[in-house]
Each structure stands twice: as structure tokens, then as C-alpha cells.
Amino acid sequence: MRALTKQQSLFFTILCLNSLLTLSPIASLEDDLSFTPDILVEGNMTIVSPCEVFELGFFKPGNNSGWYLGIWYKNVQNRTVVWVANRDTPLSNSSGALLMTGDHGNIFLLDPSGNVTWSSNHTQVLRPNVLLLDTGNLVIKEGTENSQTIFWQSFDYPTHILLPDMKLGWNLSTGLNRHLTSWKSSEDPSTGDFSIKLDYHGFPEIFLWHKHVKNFRTGPWNGMIFSGVPEMCASKHGVDFNFVTKQDEVYYSFSLQNKLELEYSGLTVSPNGDVQQITWVESTKMWNIFQYPPKDQCDSYGECGPFGICDTNASPVCKCVRGFQPKNLEAWNLGNGLDGCVRKRELKCTKDKFLRLRSVKLPESWGAFVDRDMSLEACKEKCLENCSCSAYCNMEITNGGRGCVMWFRELMDMRVYADGGQDLYVRLAPSEIGGDGKETLAIIIVVAIVGLVILLAGLGFYIVWKRNLRISRNARTQPKGPCGRSQVLLLNEVVFTSKDFYSGERINDEPELALIDFSTVAVATNNFSDENLLGEGGFGYVYKGTLTEGQEIAVKRLSKNSGQGTEEFKNELKLIARLQHINLVRLLACCIDKDEQMLIYEYMENKSLDAFLFSREKRSTLDWQKRYNIICGIARGLVYLHQDSRFRIIHRDLKASNILLDGEFTPKISDFGMARIFGKDQNESHTRRVVGTYGYMSPEYAMDGFFSTKSDVFSFGVLVLEIISGKKNKGFFNYSDNKPNLLDCAWKQWKEGKGLEIVDSSLGNSYCPSEVLRCIQVGLLCVQEHVVDRPTMSSVVFMLSSPDATMPQPKTPGFCLGRNPAGQTDSSSSKLEGSHTTDQVTIAALDGR
Ligand SMILES: *[C@@H]1O[C@H](CO)[C@@H](O)[C@H](O)[C@H]1NC(C)=O
Ligand SMILES: *[C@@H]1O[C@H](CO)[C@@H](O)[C@H](O)[C@H]1NC(C)=O
Ligand SMILES: *[C@@H]1O[C@H](CO)[C@@H](O)[C@H](O)[C@H]1NC(C)=O
Ligand SMILES: *[C@@H]1O[C@H](CO)[C@@H](O)[C@H](O)[C@H]1NC(C)=O
Ligand SMILES: *[C@@H]1O[C@H](CO)[C@@H](O)[C@H](O)[C@H]1NC(C)=O
Ligand SMILES: *[C@@H]1O[C@H](CO)[C@@H](O)[C@H](O)[C@H]1NC(C)=O
Ligand SMILES: *[C@@H]1O[C@H](CO)[C@@H](O)[C@H](O)[C@H]1NC(C)=O
Ligand SMILES: *[C@@H]1O[C@H](CO)[C@@H](O)[C@H](O)[C@H]1NC(C)=O
């Protein structure tokens, strides 16, 4: 088309359409072809919706950008655009125009030189009427305003925001797929890299895409919310979520309960991939932003591969479903779970059993079979019959569960939730679960006979072992007082006299590492029964056991052979067993049997710190004195690990769930030295990920894979602030949601001289403010951004125990909101953006000295 004036161009367009029209039956109805087009919008003219909620017009989002036709909230000061017509074809200046032809009701956007840059596309309408509704929908209707038939609407072509009552999903009869796509940047509305699309194949769910890569999956609709977005429960206030699956359409939408209040709200995807619900708060004249997943490592699509389950509280986060083992063990142990897991035992088809996984995010359900009316029992029968059915579950959880879903492929992208999720039944070979009648009986008889022999043989051994235990118990009765004044003397004593007192280490030379038979462990743990399962920590399942003499133990059954020879493994364990300190969990014995490797630890009555700290009911059990003792205990345990004379151990994964508590709430660090067992023989040429837990990782470790004792100091600082506040530090991925994490909060309050604001309210007034403030200051010193600024653990112990010592003022913490979210001065934050795959190498966890 040549460059024409607006009128000419339009005329030309009309002629084109008109020549088409003559072929269509509608043409015969056209009796009043009017060639004077209506100008709807031009220059700075706008269309405003009846109640003045929305406004349609031209806008220029950035100083250097072109002009766009869009819809925005009329009454929001900073222009918040909700729809853009010509997002990829900006106009060079504002003298474009939106026109409507009188004859068939299409609307055209002309650029300043008169070319058509955008148009609505629909069949012809007789007496068209263009309206901007108060919902933000630009519609073309026929005839009068009361007419209900909509021929075209902007709601069918969403850009980056889903407004209330707008549909995200498919019209299956026309193939129209309404989806959201982010802007390129906050000043550039053109099609960005992130999009949100509904997939209706199998059991419908919504995906967040980064270009052509799946980034996050909401999980299927469970009747109330998406099973992979438990946050929806929290954001439910005043909002109804709808998910509709019908013959001819599948979509998600939300609506506001109180429509009269005209509350503004929208679901949006930001240019850097944050999915957010924004809601206008009139009193503050600000947008309130609610951040949806992806938020943590486990939200990342396929983080643990097929048949892998992601658990943010475990370390590494990936584990295999029971009955499965890592496909690529080396990568797996280094925290890269992408290859997933494979079955240990062949399936036996109709003889198979099902394992119940609780509170999981259902696997990716492309191609899953769905039956709305089938009961769970019938679902199980049907799944059992078809040998390629890998799992089943209820379709919805409302009213105690209904319907049936079956999977026929690898189970992909699962994770566990502390709260929420759904029960999934996974097919396993019968021998993985108890087995059936005869087989089990035979096994029991054999085990019983073997056990009896071993029991007799082991009796002598026990006597020897028990004596060793008694010796080591004596060693454990070292003073463990709080960091109070009395401790200062002790500390001085330590500094000036004996290092061995400090460490609490046994004085006699070689502690024996007891070896226990498999069968003994099996008997002690009731054959690894589910009742005895304590948890699924990093590296394997943990069972509670009781030895025949009544001693309680915790058995860590390593998920798979660590890849070391038996002798080498034993040597490593001897080293670890030599680390003995009142604040470390004691390794009592080990068990090596073919490919089974188990570590036997002392049993901790009160389980782990996180179970208290982050539980609404139990947190009040921890009064300030207990918390203070815990902080001091952990600090001393770390000094021991970092400064022991024989070798230095960097824990690398210090977090609340790795701090166990005995009957008297003495903290015991667990999982130390695991890197030594699992991290050996690293192949440097592989790219791999940082091992550890987001939220506790220091910046230099998370970004550059560089770690030192100071990385542990950082984690310790986070832990201290968590213990004081009773709140979990939420990692650092949600930079842009402007919701400060714990470090931000603590730092901000501290700067304003209101440090005590972060103290857990369940503590009431039962603490000494100066003591708490000292702890907060120590915590902040530990999480400082720059490695050199952070104190060593021994000076931490000193600071904690000397009320009168002057301490330096903390500087900005790492991963702080106020730092440089846009990444202007430091490349590190841009490295983080949008992905969790920092491909950095984690090198030696501990270096011999
Ligand atoms: C308008 O369209 C004509 C023909 O396609 C083209 O040559 C001209 O450059 C266009 N003008 C602008 C401003 O894009
Ligand atoms: C719109 O533009 C015209 C001239 O281009 C100007 O006179 C008028 O003040 C503008 N109106 C507004 C509301 O900016
Ligand atoms: C845009 O231009 C205005 C006026 O020239 C200036 O004040 C503002 O800082 C600029 N904004 C950006 C993002 O460059
Ligand atoms: C907009 O651009 C067109 C040509 O591209 C020019 O003729 C017109 O004068 C410009 N209008 C303004 C307001 O700059
Ligand atoms: C209008 O329809 C034509 C043909 O179906 C298509 O090529 C064009 O991209 C559509 N335009 C818009 C704005 O949807
Ligand atoms: C799908 O689109 C067609 C054509 O626009 C429309 O007639 C039909 O009502 C739509 N179906 C649904 C369920 O909205
Ligand atoms: C409007 O934008 C300015 C500059 O970007 C910002 O400082 C201000 O906080 C914004 N106001 C609101 C209500 O978002
Ligand atoms: C099992 O289910 C799959 C998928 O629905 C189907 O293709 C296959 O024919 C079924 N096999 C049997 C034996 O029913």
C-alpha cells in the first residue's frame, strides 16, 4: 500500500473489503454504505468508560518509545496500562487515529502516514457500536447499547494483564487461545519473553513459559485452587477463582466479590517473569503486589526430573520417589536432579502395589486420563489393570475427593508441600511395598533365623560397644552453659589454655566407629517400617530405631551408594566420627551391607529446630532463654567445625532443619561432613549447580560458587535472625515483588533504631532487650554482603558472651532489596534474574590441613 492520507487509505481499505463483501451474502443487506468513517480516538482525545474507570487513548510509555493505543485506569495517577492494541507496531508520533468504518464495524488504527497498523478482525456487523466498558473491555456490538451480542472484544486478545472476569484459556470451537505475554521492559510494551498459557490436554493446567522453555507449572485445578499454587488460598480474600472445563471451552478467570466497590485488581506477568496479583489500595494510592510462584527452587519446572520429588527443606532438594534411584548419581549428589530417577525393580503388572505420596504437587498431566465420576477405588482398579498406568489420584479434593486421574508417562515435576498439595498413588513393584503373603513369610523366616544367629554373635560385640559409649558419654558432659557472663571466664580459659576444652573433643586418641549388622538395624527400625520413618532429609530416609538394650537411635539410610569403595567410606566415617562435640549430632555407628550404607546417630527427642520455630502451636515452647542457648550452642558447634585442629569442615548447608534438639533443647548440628562423603571425585568439567538451600546461602556462594567458612557464617546469621523473629527467610528470588525478606526487614528496623520490632511476638516481654539486640547485631554482622566484613565464628562466640564488648556497626546485608535490584552497579543481580540455574561449581567442602 502506498502512503496515503488517512481518508484515502481508509477509502482504499473499504474498497478492498467491499470487493470481498460483494461475494458474501451479507453484502446484499448493506444498503447504507457510508464512506465517512467515525474517528474514535485521535491525538490526545480519549474514550472513557461510563463510570470513568478505564480510559482508551494513545500513550507513550517511555522517553524513547513510540506511541501505542491502549487502555488504562483513569483514576490511577501513575498510568497503569491494562491492554495495548499495537504492542509490536508502535506509531512514530501521537498523530495516529483509531477509526471505525460505518459499514461493517471493523476498527482500524492508522499510523501518522495513514497506513493501517492494526485492525480488529471479525465478521461484518450491521450497525456497529464501539464501547469501552467499565470492566476494561473494548467491545464492538451490533445496534443498540442493550444488545448482548458481542462481535469483537479486547478481552479475547489479552496482553499482559488478566482483569476480573477475563478468560485465560481456550475457545475450543474456534481455537482461540487467550494468554498473557509480558512486556519487553517497563517502558516497552512489545511482546516480551514470558508468557502464561493454559494447556488443556489431559488434565488442564497453566504454564509459565520463558520463550519456548517451560518455567513453571501451576499443577491441575483441584476444585478450589491450582494444586501447585497453595498461595491462592492466602490471596483468596474478596476474590473468587473460577476454573471452567466444558465441551467447547476451558478457561481460568477470577472475579471480585464486591463489584460495587470497583476495586481494581489484575493478574500480570512482569518483564522478568514474576507472576503477580496487583490490587489497588485507595488509602495509600499504591498497588499492593501479591507474588505467585515461581518463588523457590522447587517451583522451577522439572527441577528433579522424572520420578524425582523436590523438597525445599531437604538438602539437596531432590529426592527420588521410594522405589526409585537417581539415574545419574554423580550429578544428583551434586544437586543437579534434572536427569531424575529410575525404577529399582521391574514392575509386575497386575501384581503391583501403590505407594501413597502425601501433600505433593501433582505431576505434569499432559495426556493424563480424567474421569469426573469414577471413585478412587474404581480408579485404582482401572490403573492396576493397565500396566502402563504409572499413578492415579482424585481429580478434585472438594467434599472428601472425587473423580479419577491416571498418568501413563513418567511422573514429572513433583514437589512436596508442608501445607496443601494432594495425595498421589504411585505404582511400584510389589516387593517395594511389603510384598505379598508367601514371599514376605519366607523372608521373615530367613530374617528371623539369621537375626537370631547374629543376635547371639552380636552380644559380645554390644558389651564392648556399650563400654565405648559410656566413655564417650562422659566426654559429652562438658559444660554447656549459655553464653552468659560465667562463660566469659570459660572462654578466656579456652583462649589462653586448652583448645581441647573448647572443642569438647575426646582426649583419648582413636574413637572406635562401631559397625552394625544390617539385620540389627532392620530389627531396631521394625524393618524400616513407615511408622518409624522420621523424615526424608537430604541424602536419604531417616528412621527411628530402638536397640534391644533400649537405646534409641536415628538411622540415616543413604539414598544410594555414595560411589565410594567400602574401605574409603569407612575411613571417611571414622574421620566424621572423630568430630565430637556437645553441639554436633553424634555418629554412633555405621552399617555397610552390599549397596546399603547407613549411618547410626543418637536420637534427638525434640527433632529439629524448624519444627518449633515455624510452627504456630509449638513456637511458644521456645522462650528467649532457650533460643539464646540455641544460638550460642550452634555458634560453638560451628567454631568446632571451622577450627578443629585436624581438619576444617565447612558445613555448606546450615539451616533450621539441620539443627536438632535433644530433650533439654540443646542444639545439635546435623548433616555435617556429608559433603565429604558425597562430594568427592567431582568431575570439574561438568557444569553443575550450587548445593545448599536458598535463603541461607551467602551471595558469593550462590552467585559465584565460592564458599568458605564465611559462607557458613552468613547462614548462621540468617539462622540467628530466624530464631529471634520466628520467621523464615524467604530466599532471594522475589526481588521484584518488593516484599522485603527477613534480612531486609531486620536491616531496615535496625537502621531506624527499632531492632526489637522483628522479635517474635510469641516471646511476649519475657526477654532482656539488650541481650536480644546484641544477638540481632551479631546476626546482621554475619549476613553482611562483603565476606571480609563478616566476623569469624570464634569472634561471634566472643561477642555473644561479652555484654560489654563493643561491636562494629553492621553494613548492608547480602541480598537486600535496597541494594541494587536493577543491577546497575553489580552484575550479580542480573545473573540471578529469571533463573535458578547458577551453573557454578562447588568445590571441596572441606580441606584437610
Ligand atoms: C506505509 O505503507 C507503504 C506501503 O506498504 C510503505 O511504503 C510506507 O513506508 C509505509 N509508511 C510508513 C510510515 O510505515
Ligand atoms: C490536546 O491537544 C490540543 C492541540 O494539539 C491542545 O490544544 C489541547 O490542550 C490538548 N488537550 C489536552 C487535554 O491535553
Ligand atoms: C524522561 O524525560 C523527562 C523529561 O525530559 C525526565 O525528567 C525523565 O527523567 C526521563 N525519564 C527517563 C526514564 O529517562
Ligand atoms: C507525525 O509524523 C508525520 C509523518 O510521519 C508528520 O507528518 C506529522 O506532522 C507528525 N505530527 C506531529 C504532531 O509531530
Ligand atoms: C486478521 O485475519 C487475517 C486472516 O485471518 C490474519 O492474517 C491477520 O493477522 C488478522 N489480524 C488481526 C489483527 O488479528
Ligand atoms: C467461541 O467462539 C465463537 C466465535 O466467536 C463463538 O460463537 C462461541 O460462542 C465461542 N464459544 C464460547 C464457549 O465462548
Ligand atoms: C509513581 O511513579 C513515581 C516515579 O516512578 C514513583 O516515585 C511513585 O512512587 C509512583 N507512585 C505510585 C502511586 O506508584
Ligand atoms: C492403557 O492405557 C493407554 C492410555 O490410555 C492405552 O493407550 C492402552 O491401550 C491401555 N492398555 C490397556 C491394556 O488397556
Side-chain angles (χ1 to χ4, degrees):
M1 209 188 281
R2 277 171 295 114
L4 303 164
T5 67
K6 271 177 224 159
Q7 296 286 326
Q8 280 172 324
S9 156
L10 187 70
F11 187 71
F12 186 70
T13 315
I14 290 165
L15 281 184
C16 289
L17 291 171
N18 211 24
S19 57
L20 282 174
L21 274 179
T22 51
L23 300 173
S24 87
I26 298 170
S28 58
L29 299 172
E30 286 290 352
D31 48 6
D32 64 341
L33 275 182
S34 146
F35 288 97
T36 39
D38 287 340
I39 296 180
L40 300 169
V41 178
E42 192 180 32
N44 60 10
M45 200 171 113
T46 60
I47 299 180
V48 176
S49 70
C51 298
E52 306 209 325
V53 181
F54 288 98
E55 188 168 19
L56 168 78
F58 288 105
F59 71 99
K60 179 176 163 70
N63 279 349
N64 300 317
S65 73
W67 287 81
Y68 298 86
L69 178 74
I71 299 175
W72 58 84
Y73 291 99
K74 181 163 173 47
N75 298 317
V76 172
Q77 217 97 65
N78 284 5
R79 182 172 290 161
T80 306
V81 175
V82 298
W83 183 75
V84 186
N86 56 326
R87 68 188 303 180
D88 290 315
T89 50
L91 310 181
S92 55
N93 66 31
S94 64
S95 47
L98 182 68
L99 307 161
M100 185 182 68
T101 56
D103 56 346
H104 25 60
N106 276 313
I107 51 178
F108 298 91
L109 179 62
L110 301 191
D111 66 16
S113 50
N115 287 351
V116 175
T117 61
W118 175 87
S119 74
S120 65
N121 245 4
H122 58 90
T123 47
Q124 286 69 25
V125 191
L126 201 48
R127 274 177 299 280
N129 200 346
V130 178
L131 302 167
L132 177 64
L133 308 181
D134 281 322
T135 54
N137 197 3
L138 179 67
V139 300
I140 304 179
K141 290 184 171 184
E142 186 173 36
T144 62
E145 299 203 3
N146 304 335
S147 157
Q148 289 305 305
T149 327
I150 291 174
F151 284 83
W152 182 91
Q153 56 180 336
S154 62
F155 268 22
D156 278 341
Y157 305 93
T159 52
H160 62 296
I161 290 192
L162 189 77
L163 294 172
D165 301 317
M166 203 161 165
K167 295 172 180 177
L168 178 74
W170 294 78
N171 177 332
L172 295 173
S173 44
T174 58
L176 175 72
N177 178 15
R178 307 174 199 91
H179 62 271
L180 304 181
T181 311
S182 69
W183 285 23
K184 259 232 153 57
S185 74
S186 61
E187 298 193 345
D188 180 0
S190 59
T191 307
D193 292 342
F194 291 91
S195 54
I196 298 182
K197 292 180 182 163
L198 187 145
D199 185 347
Y200 64 85
H201 299 94
F203 198 9
E205 53 187 333
I206 295 176
F207 286 87
L208 171 67
W209 294 80
H210 179 226
K211 294 183 183 156
H212 298 292
V213 179
K214 287 175 190 167
N215 214 323
F216 168 72
R217 197 173 64 85
T218 60
W221 186 257
N222 69 13
M224 296 187 293
I225 59 168
F226 289 107
S227 65
V229 193
E231 287 86 349
M232 284 175 88
C233 288
S235 64
K236 209 168 162 54
H237 180 71
V239 181
D240 288 325
F241 302 117
N242 318 303
F243 192 81
V244 175
T245 336
K246 289 199 288 212
Q247 202 72 39
D248 55 351
E249 60 179 345
V250 183
Y251 67 84
Y252 163 77
S253 72
F254 70 94
S255 49
L256 302 176
Q257 282 159 2
N258 194 347
K259 287 179 187 163
L260 292 177
E261 261 180 26
L262 288 176
E263 195 183 62
Y264 308 157
S265 186
L267 174 76
T268 167
V269 53
S270 79
N272 52 11
D274 286 318
V275 182
Q276 301 164 336
Q277 184 85 32
I278 58 168
T279 307
W280 183 250
V281 183
E282 190 55 42
S283 55
T284 57
K285 303 235 178 283
M286 299 259 269
W287 288 103
N288 178 26
I289 297 175
F290 184 90
Q291 181 84 4
Y292 279 126
K295 281 183 171 175
D296 58 29
Q297 201 178 357
C298 288
D299 282 330
S300 178
Y301 174 82
E303 182 71 16
C304 297
F307 296 110
I309 296 195
C310 195
D311 180 356
T312 46
N313 284 327
S315 158
V317 292
C318 289
K319 56 197 178 171
C320 289
V321 174
R322 226 166 98 191
F324 290 79
Q325 60 198 17
K327 190 169 175 191
N328 178 349
L329 185 67
E330 195 186 343
W332 185 270
N333 285 337
L334 288 166
N336 179 351
L338 295 179
D339 289 333
C341 308
V342 290
R343 277 185 199 285
K344 284 188 192 157
R345 297 198 175 86
E346 286 291 309
L347 290 177
K348 296 261 160 50
C349 205
T350 50
K351 290 209 196 85
D352 291 335
K353 301 262 162 133
F354 290 96
L355 169 75
R356 178 180 185 175
L357 297 180
R358 291 169 204 271
S359 302
V360 295
K361 172 175 174 181
L362 298 183
E364 181 170 14
S365 46
W366 199 92
F369 165 92
V370 183
D371 187 318
R372 217 159 241 294
D373 302 313
M374 205 183 271
S375 73
L376 195 60
E377 207 36 54
C379 194
K380 179 179 178 179
E381 288 303 310
K382 186 148 185 197
C383 186
L384 197 58
E385 272 168 28
N386 186 329
C387 305
S388 51
C389 172
S390 48
Y392 72 92
C393 75
N394 262 142
M395 174 191 166
E396 292 187 352
I397 59 168
T398 41
N399 304 326
R402 61 166 214 162
C404 167
V405 190
M406 290 186 240
W407 282 261
F408 294 95
R409 312 162 178 262
E410 292 175 322
L411 303 179
M412 188 67 178
D413 195 38
M414 290 181 284
R415 66 173 293 178
V416 288
Y417 292 109
D419 247 340
Q422 232 168 304
D423 288 357
L424 178 74
Y425 300 84
V426 179
R427 187 185 208 110
L428 287 185
S431 50
E432 293 285 358
I433 305 181
D436 43 54
K438 287 174 205 158
E439 272 176 45
T440 348
L441 196 66
I443 292 172
I444 289 175
I445 292 172
V446 172
V447 167
I449 293 172
V450 172
L452 204 70
V453 173
I454 290 170
L455 214 71
L456 290 174
L459 211 65
F461 156 80
Y462 270 135
I463 294 165
V464 174
W465 186 45
K466 236 178 123 179
R467 213 175 52 211
N468 278 342
L469 269 183
R470 206 169 300 131
I471 294 168
S472 54
R473 280 210 186 106
N474 291 343
R476 283 195 289 143
T477 50
Q478 295 288 359
K480 56 162 184 182
C483 317
R485 226 171 239 286
S486 61
Q487 193 67 17
V488 178
L489 290 173
L490 295 178
L491 188 73
N492 289 340
E493 207 177 315
V494 168
V495 173
F496 297 118
T497 61
S498 153
K499 196 167 190 176
D500 270 333
F501 160 75
Y502 200 13
S503 58
E505 194 182 354
R506 286 179 53 184
I507 313 289
N508 50 330
D509 7 327
E510 276 298 294
E512 277 302 311
L513 177 70
L515 284 170
I516 301 193
D517 274 301
F518 180 81
S519 52
T520 312
V521 183
V523 169
T525 58
N526 199 5
N527 213 0
F528 301 102
S529 74
D530 278 354
E531 284 78 54
N532 286 38
L533 194 62
L534 285 176
E536 310 176 27
F539 310 109
Y541 294 89
V542 183
Y543 295 87
K544 181 180 176 178
T546 313
L547 296 176
T548 38
E549 56 173 21
Q551 190 189 3
E552 293 184 317
I553 53 172
V555 178
K556 174 164 265 184
R557 193 179 190 180
L558 298 185
S559 45
K560 174 111 193 264
N561 198 310
S562 62
Q564 297 183 341
T566 308
E567 271 315 302
E568 205 185 340
F569 177 69
K570 246 191 268 179
N571 286 338
E572 287 302 337
L573 288 188
K574 276 186 188 156
L575 284 183
I576 292 169
R578 246 168 37 194
L579 297 168
Q580 291 184 16
H581 187 275
I582 175 78
N583 297 116
L584 300 185
V585 175
R586 265 208 65 202
L587 179 64
L588 299 176
C590 73
C591 165
I592 303 172
D593 187 330
K594 297 208 191 83
D595 32 333
E596 286 280 1
Q597 293 179 340
M598 283 180 271
L599 307 178
I600 319 296
Y601 291 100
E602 52 182 346
Y603 175 72
M604 287 298 137
E605 229 166 284
N606 277 317
K607 313 234 165 64
S608 59
L609 176 60
D610 62 332
F612 283 90
L613 211 48
F614 307 132
S615 148
R616 202 166 296 163
E617 297 82 41
K618 285 162 83 181
R619 70 160 54 124
S620 55
T621 323
L622 294 181
D623 58 22
W624 173 247
Q625 199 50 47
K626 286 205 184 81
R627 294 190 197 207
Y628 186 53
N629 291 347
I630 289 170
I631 292 174
C632 294
I634 300 169
R636 283 198 305 264
L638 278 176
V639 171
Y640 175 77
L641 285 179
H642 288 176
Q643 305 197 335
D644 170 61
S645 56
R646 288 187 203 152
F647 36 77
R648 175 170 49 198
I649 290 207
I650 301 174
H651 190 293
R652 289 208 303 173
D653 198 13
L654 193 66
K655 54 180 171 182
S657 59
N658 273 343
I659 305 298
L660 306 186
L661 300 171
D662 72 4
E664 283 128 41
F665 289 93
T666 310
K668 309 260 183 180
I669 301 174
S670 78
D671 262 6
F672 54 90
M674 291 312 274
R676 180 136 187 151
I677 294 179
F678 278 99
K680 284 210 134 191
D681 302 315
Q682 293 177 356
N683 180 350
E684 302 295 329
S685 65
H686 278 196
T687 53
R688 42 187 104 87
R689 300 168 179 213
V690 166
V691 181
T693 305
Y694 292 111
Y696 292 92
M697 269 195 265
S698 62
E700 75 280 0
Y701 178 26
M703 318 268 203
D704 305 323
F706 172 78
F707 64 86
S708 62
T709 50
K710 294 291 186 74
S711 326
D712 275 354
V713 172
F714 185 94
S715 309
F716 173 77
V718 174
L719 202 46
V720 168
L721 295 173
E722 287 187 339
I723 292 172
I724 294 168
S725 65
K727 292 197 183 63
K728 208 167 176 153
N729 188 36
K730 280 290 182 344
F732 48 81
F733 287 126
N734 36 4
Y735 258 126
S736 41
D737 77 350
N738 286 324
K739 231 184 291 145
N741 63 19
L742 178 58
L743 302 193
D744 287 319
C745 266
W747 172 237
K748 207 167 136 241
Q749 304 283 18
W750 177 263
K751 268 194 311 190
E752 292 173 10
K754 297 189 290 189
L756 291 175
E757 296 275 314
I758 68 160
V759 174
D760 188 348
S761 55
S762 74
L763 287 178
N765 289 325
S766 67
Y767 56 83
C768 155
S770 65
E771 206 168 61
V772 174
L773 281 172
R774 195 147 32 85
C775 288
I776 295 176
Q777 187 167 359
V778 167
L780 286 171
L781 285 170
C782 290
V783 297
Q784 289 176 106
E785 184 176 355
H786 296 293
V787 178
V788 289
D789 295 335
R790 292 179 215 147
T792 61
M793 281 317 296
S794 47
S795 35
V796 165
V797 170
F798 177 72
M799 289 188 281
L800 285 174
S801 49
S802 334
D804 307 321
T806 48
M807 293 195 273
Q809 277 305 315
K811 298 181 191 156
T812 323
F815 301 127
C816 193
L817 257 187
R819 197 161 145 250
N820 50 358
Q824 302 97 335
T825 56
D826 186 336
S827 62
S828 50
S829 52
S830 59
K831 263 192 211 164
L832 260 184
E833 213 171 86
S835 86
H836 324 179
T837 51
T838 323
D839 276 343
Q840 304 296 337
V841 184
T842 59
I843 320 173
L846 91 185
D847 41 340
R849 270 199 275 160

